[in-house]
Amino acid sequence: MQRKKSILTFIIILFFSATGLVANEKLKIIENINNIETLKFNFIQISFNNKENGICFLKRPHFLKCIYEDKKQKELIVNRKNLVIYHKKYNKTYFYPVSKSYFADILDKKKFENLILDGDLRLNEEIFEIKHSSENKGEIIFFFDKESFNLSGWQVIDLNGNNTNFKISNLDKNQNLDKKLFNIPIIN
């Protein structure tokens, strides 16, 4: 009987220790996120068996611009409540509601913090993964560097089962970014 109590006590201590570690790692990630006002980074995006790359600029709380290195000269722009895909070569602009994507959550510190706190954390060899699911947006898994707690990418599985992987490199924090960079192009 005494042995069973000892084993039970050990399991309870182990559980609460592991829970404390998870909470501590999430708090470190959130602290790092909350110290970021702007980001500039290179990216590789893989979706629909298509690999694309380019550079992104992020300015909190409402702005994101990703410039793709492709033939169409594609740009993804988030400007407050607008999500725009612009094909510069053809002067074509496509508007989407930002509310149906995770971009508004990533750009807003408090919403991003809630995704992290509500998500399930897993530790791999080099990264932390935080998985969050939404009935309206699908599933997102954020990847954070284990040492620096920097965001290193994400994976989105939308409501239709489409999978998009987004890998971040050459992260540059808190640089001065002009708001004009995020202007939506005027259609002729």
Side-chain angles (χ1 to χ4, degrees):
M1 186 69 167
Q2 184 67 6
R3 183 177 173 166
K4 286 183 182 180
K5 285 183 182 179
S6 296
I7 292 172
L8 182 60
T9 303
F10 176 75
I11 291 171
I12 290 171
I13 290 171
L14 186 64
F15 172 76
F16 284 112
S17 296
T19 303
L21 287 176
V22 168
N24 189 37
E25 304 307 331
K26 284 184 177 183
L27 291 176
K28 288 179 182 177
I29 290 168
I30 289 167
E31 180 182 350
N32 185 43
I33 289 168
N34 286 338
N35 288 326
I36 296 171
E37 294 303 320
T38 66
L39 287 176
K40 176 183 173 186
F41 55 87
N42 295 338
F43 71 88
I44 296 173
Q45 175 182 306
I46 300 171
S47 56
F48 302 104
N49 294 323
N50 188 22
K51 184 176 180 179
E52 300 173 287
N53 61 341
I55 189 167
C56 285
F57 305 89
L58 178 149
K59 184 175 178 86
R60 288 201 152 136
H62 305 291
F63 304 102
L64 174 71
K65 182 171 188 174
C66 296
I67 302 167
Y68 290 73
E69 296 172 2
D70 66 356
K71 292 182 241 175
K72 298 176 186 176
Q73 298 173 305
K74 180 169 70 173
E75 296 179 0
L76 179 144
I77 304 164
V78 176
N79 185 324
R80 300 198 186 273
K81 295 184 180 187
N82 297 306
L83 187 154
V84 173
I85 304 292
Y86 174 59
H87 293 223
K88 198 177 210 175
K89 183 175 181 179
Y90 306 113
N91 197 28
K92 297 270 185 190
T93 306
Y94 304 93
F95 289 85
Y96 302 94
V98 76
S99 62
K100 293 190 177 184
S101 76
Y102 277 104
F103 289 123
D105 300 309
I106 292 170
L107 292 170
D108 183 278
K109 287 182 185 182
K110 192 63 182 166
K111 288 180 182 180
F112 201 1
E113 182 176 321
N114 288 336
L115 289 179
I116 301 304
L117 290 173
D118 293 342
D120 298 321
L121 185 133
R122 288 187 302 186
L123 173 63
N124 288 334
E125 286 183 25
E126 297 175 12
I127 60 171
F128 293 110
E129 294 181 7
I130 297 181
K131 181 179 174 180
H132 180 82
S133 295
S134 165
E135 290 181 17
N136 302 327
K137 299 176 188 174
E139 179 179 283
I140 189 164
I141 303 169
F142 294 104
F143 305 106
F144 293 93
D145 181 87
K146 187 175 156 185
E147 300 299 320
S148 66
F149 301 98
N150 285 333
L151 181 64
S152 60
W154 57 79
Q155 176 184 12
V156 175
I157 302 168
D158 70 16
L159 296 173
N160 297 320
N162 299 316
N163 191 341
T164 301
N165 289 299
F166 198 85
K167 184 177 180 190
I168 293 173
S169 62
N170 301 325
L171 194 66
D172 200 4
K173 297 180 190 178
N174 296 325
Q175 300 299 308
N176 190 20
L177 298 177
D178 188 349
K179 236 179 173 177
K180 292 178 185 177
L181 175 67
F182 307 98
N183 287 345
I184 296 173
I186 298 170
I187 305 169
N188 294 335

